[in-house]
Amino acid sequence: MPGEHKVMTSEQKKAILLLKSVIFHYHGLDNEEKEILDKTAERYEAWEELKWANDFISLDYYTAFERAREYLNEIVGKLDEDTRVEYLAMVWDANNAKGYVTEMEATAMLKLAKDWHVQRRLMEMVRSKNR
């Protein structure tokens, strides 16, 4: 996972929390998803970044994904390919932790993977985890 062996910047923490949060909010955030976000904030000591992500989404719920997509393309899109895949894998794993990934969540992750030029790698990762 990103940051387990290195110190993460606030910008990286914001990107991870916004990514997870906007995917979870895609269909409405439930309690289990809120717990996953809280655990992520705790793991990375990123409570301020979680608040920032929540504020970002609540600014305009209906445009949150597209605004997040623009923001994440600027931040995550510049990272190396392995890290981009790693961030998407974290979201995929978080969704699987709740027992399912909705079609809307999968579609949102595929849009980001396409933006970040890692669509093939995301699909390979998903296939390997589902075997």
Side-chain angles (χ1 to χ4, degrees), residues 64-81:
F65 180 75
E66 287 305 319
R67 288 184 298 108
R69 189 174 172 187
E70 285 180 30
Y71 176 84
L72 292 167
N73 286 344
E74 282 295 311
I75 304 302
V76 180
K78 294 176 183 174
L79 300 174
D80 65 88
E81 184 175 310

Side-chain angles (χ1 to χ4, degrees), residues 18 22 53-73:
L18 180 60
V22 79
N54 288 333
D55 290 346
F56 183 101
I57 291 167
S58 68
L59 182 65
D60 182 0
Y61 181 80
Y62 295 105
T63 63
F65 180 75
E66 287 305 319
R67 288 184 298 108
R69 189 174 172 187
E70 285 180 30
Y71 176 84
L72 292 167
N73 286 344

Side-chain angles (χ1 to χ4, degrees), residues 1 7 13-14 28 34 57 59 70 77 81 83 86 90-91 115 117 122-123 129:
M1 295 229 169
V7 175
K13 292 174 186 180
K14 283 180 180 178
K34 184 181 179 323
I57 291 167
L59 182 65
E70 285 180 30
E81 184 175 310
T83 303
E86 205 172 338
M90 285 176 52
V91 176
D115 290 349
H117 308 287
L122 175 65
M123 296 303 295
K129 289 180 182 243

Side-chain angles (χ1 to χ4, degrees), residues 2-40:
E4 296 217 338
H5 300 296
K6 63 184 182 216
V7 175
M8 293 178 70
T9 66
S10 179
E11 188 173 78
Q12 290 168 317
K13 292 174 186 180
K14 283 180 180 178
I16 288 170
L17 286 159
L18 180 60
L19 178 59
K20 280 187 178 184
S21 191
V22 79
I23 298 295
F24 284 158
H25 275 88
Y26 216 71
H27 60 80
L29 186 70
D30 65 27
N31 286 336
E32 189 174 10
E33 293 164 334
K34 184 181 179 323
E35 282 182 37
I36 292 169
L37 290 171
D38 287 348
K39 286 179 183 174
T40 303

Side-chain angles (χ1 to χ4, degrees), residues 1-2 16 19-21 23-24 33 36 40 84-113 116 119 121-131:
M1 295 229 169
I16 288 170
L19 178 59
K20 280 187 178 184
S21 191
I23 298 295
F24 284 158
E33 293 164 334
I36 292 169
T40 303
R84 293 185 308 241
V85 172
E86 205 172 338
Y87 279 30
L88 289 168
M90 285 176 52
V91 176
W92 186 267
D93 291 344
N95 275 280
N96 275 332
K98 64 183 182 169
Y100 61 92
V101 178
T102 69
E103 183 178 343
M104 289 177 11
E105 291 165 335
T107 300
M109 285 183 262
L110 283 169
K111 284 180 183 179
L112 291 167
W116 302 345
Q119 199 169 10
R121 289 207 39 209
L122 175 65
M123 296 303 295
E124 290 169 356
M125 184 261 322
V126 168
R127 284 186 194 112
S128 71
K129 289 180 182 243
N130 289 332
R131 289 186 182 165

